[in-house]
Amino acid sequence: MASGTAGRGGQAGGRRVRATLRDVADAAGTSHSTASRALGGHGYVADHIRERVRQAAEQLGYVPDVSARTLKGRSSERVGLLVSDLRNQFYAELAAGVEHALSAAGFQMVLVDDHGEEQRALAGARAFIAMRADGVLLAPVGRVATETLVGHGVPVAEVDRRSGVRGCDAVTIDSERGARLAVEHLLALGHRRIGLVVDEIRWDTGRGRLKGYRGAMRAAGLAVSRRHVLDLSQTAGPPEEEVARFLAANDDMTAVFAANNVMAELIWQELARRGTSVPREVSVIAFDDLGWMRMVAPGLAAVRQPVFRMGSEAAQALLARMARGGGGRSEHTLLEPELIVRGSTAPPRG
């Protein structure tokens, strides 16, 4: 017997063999039609049998095929994109870059918003498997969705963040360098008590920005005060309230660095609510350069990411992996950030 074969739901050549509805029915001890009704939600099935079928499907990693018209070995000409929050302009711009590159290559983009939740991301990954997407791009919120896709032999590229799962490519920004650019700009203006607001440090984005902030401060011979760093992933209250408490408790800070555009908006709104003058009383700089930052007065200084290009290059990396049949060494492309100076930063008073 050839060594590359395996039973349904097992492994073959390092990849999971796709379980069929027949496999689920056999494992649950039911007929094919009963398993179909139980999983499809149509027709009568006793509750205990429905639960038995559901558990069998979960154990086998069964994903229903809703695209039977796509024959095995043929391209569906569809590529999935899984992002965290389409209300965030960053992801909308990223999606535009992805769609531009895919359209030029003759592929249709199928977009799913997982709302930053790992279970939604997994559901999106399974949906892409079911429709036999030729490949998937995602900004991971955990490892499970990426592992599921790679395990089913789907070519994958990650964008903006990396999960660390082998067998996929990634395109990200140099977050550490971008943070250093921002903080070094404030230091050059004479600031010494600089705060940082970040929403998480689990991923290489937030972790890199914290590292860049600390590195710039230490290179200037300054101690990093823990009370001047707000990590919202370690707090329990609403982000707006946590930012308000942070700014109120640290009125000695002369400048604040927001680690992304969402944090920048929270800081900007709270300073406006308090009647704090920017930059006369406190300077503000952000990571991400979105349209609203150019329209407020004064304009908000920012570290610009080439977001459209990031999406486009991630799509190109995925297309190359698809052309190789999903195989080959994982590649990581690191894009360079750019400092954009506007009126929200100035030398500290006194």
Side-chain angles (χ1 to χ4, degrees), residues 9 16 19 24 27-28 52-62 126:
R16 181 179 298 167
V24 175
R52 197 165 75 220
V53 172
R54 188 198 64 77
Q55 290 181 359
E58 185 71 20
Q59 290 170 357
L60 290 172
Y62 171 73
R126 286 173 169 167

Side-chain angles (χ1 to χ4, degrees), residues 23 34 73 84 86 102 120 141 194 211 246 249 255 262 313 321:
D23 298 324
T34 298
S84 295
L86 279 175
L102 292 179
R120 284 178 179 259
V141 294
I194 302 170
K211 186 176 180 181
F246 174 71
V262 177
E313 292 205 11
R321 179 165 288 277

Side-chain angles (χ1 to χ4, degrees), residues 164-182:
V165 175
R166 291 189 176 187
C168 62
D169 301 312
V171 178
T172 64
I173 193 74
D174 190 338
S175 287
E176 181 179 350
R177 173 166 168 73
R180 288 186 71 104
L181 288 173

Side-chain angles (χ1 to χ4, degrees), residues 97-115:
V98 170
E99 195 281 332
H100 179 79
L102 292 179
S103 178
F107 287 87
Q108 179 184 20
M109 182 181 77
V110 181
L111 179 62
V112 172
D113 185 344
D114 62 31
H115 302 280

Side-chain angles (χ1 to χ4, degrees), residues 274-285:
R274 290 158 52 99
T276 302
S277 175
V278 177
R280 188 171 66 86
E281 295 178 80
V282 62
S283 289
V284 182
I285 193 167

Side-chain angles (χ1 to χ4, degrees), residues 17-331:
V17 177
R18 185 186 181 96
T20 67
L21 185 60
R22 174 62 65 189
D23 298 324
V24 175
D26 290 344
T30 69
S31 67
H32 183 279
S33 59
T34 298
S36 177
R37 291 198 305 275
L39 295 176
H42 54 82
Y44 173 77
V45 179
D47 289 343
H48 70 282
I49 295 178
R50 187 185 305 277
E51 180 60 19
R52 197 165 75 220
V53 172
R54 188 198 64 77
Q55 290 181 359
E58 185 71 20
Q59 290 170 357
L60 290 172
Y62 171 73
V63 178
D65 186 0
V66 298
S67 186
R69 66 180 180 82
T70 302
L71 300 178
K72 184 177 180 181
R74 288 181 55 189
S75 170
S76 69
E77 298 182 346
R78 287 175 293 186
V79 169
L81 172 62
L82 195 61
V83 298
S84 295
D85 187 358
L86 279 175
R87 295 171 300 177
N88 186 334
Q89 186 183 336
F90 172 90
Y91 289 112
E93 182 75 2
L94 188 74
V98 170
E99 195 281 332
H100 179 79
L102 292 179
S103 178
F107 287 87
Q108 179 184 20
M109 182 181 77
V110 181
L111 179 62
V112 172
D113 185 344
D114 62 31
H115 302 280
E117 299 174 11
E118 193 161 3
Q119 284 304 308
R120 284 178 179 259
L122 176 58
R126 286 173 169 167
F128 290 140
I129 295 168
M131 71 175 62
R132 295 188 182 274
D134 291 303
V136 174
L137 283 150
L138 71 164
V141 294
R143 294 175 58 93
V144 178
T146 302
E147 288 174 338
T148 298
L149 290 162
V150 172
H152 278 82
V154 179
V156 175
E158 296 176 332
V159 60
D160 182 46
R161 298 188 291 261
R162 289 190 296 163
S163 66
V165 175
R166 291 189 176 187
C168 62
D169 301 312
V171 178
T172 64
I173 193 74
D174 190 338
S175 287
E176 181 179 350
R177 173 166 168 73
R180 288 186 71 104
L181 288 173
V183 178
E184 286 171 354
H185 168 67
L186 295 171
L187 290 167
L189 290 171
H191 293 278
R192 294 297 179 264
R193 295 185 300 278
I194 302 170
L196 168 68
V197 179
V198 61
D199 61 351
E200 58 79 28
I201 56 173
R202 183 167 64 101
W203 293 98
D204 48 350
T205 47
R207 188 168 60 247
R209 291 166 202 184
L210 174 62
K211 186 176 180 181
Y213 163 82
R214 286 175 170 168
M217 295 288 283
R218 288 169 178 162
L222 300 173
V224 177
S225 173
R226 293 182 62 182
R227 70 183 181 89
H228 285 165
V229 176
L230 173 61
D231 174 8
L232 287 172
S233 67
Q234 301 300 312
T235 60
E240 304 83 11
E241 295 179 8
E242 296 293 347
V243 168
R245 279 194 285 268
F246 174 71
L247 294 175
N250 293 286
D251 56 4
D252 61 317
M253 296 185 305
T254 62
V256 183
F257 170 41
N260 62 36
N261 69 84
V262 177
M263 301 301 98
E265 188 170 352
L266 292 176
I267 292 168
W268 197 263
Q269 290 175 343
E270 175 58 21
L271 292 175
R273 189 192 68 80
R274 290 158 52 99
T276 302
S277 175
V278 177
R280 188 171 66 86
E281 295 178 80
V282 62
S283 289
V284 182
I285 193 167
F287 207 113
D288 291 344
D289 181 31
L290 301 186
W292 71 266
M293 298 178 183
R294 298 188 291 272
M295 295 184 285
V296 295
L300 181 57
V303 175
R304 177 179 292 167
Q305 302 189 69
V307 184
F308 186 93
R309 179 185 162 200
M310 186 186 298
S312 178
E313 292 205 11
Q316 295 288 356
L318 179 62
L319 290 169
R321 179 165 288 277
M322 287 160 51
R324 299 194 301 269
R329 185 179 63 181
S330 297
E331 300 286 346

Side-chain angles (χ1 to χ4, degrees), residues 333-346:
T333 301
L334 195 64
L335 302 181
E336 288 297 313
E338 177 188 5
L339 177 66
I340 306 298
V341 177
R342 298 193 181 98
S344 65
T345 60

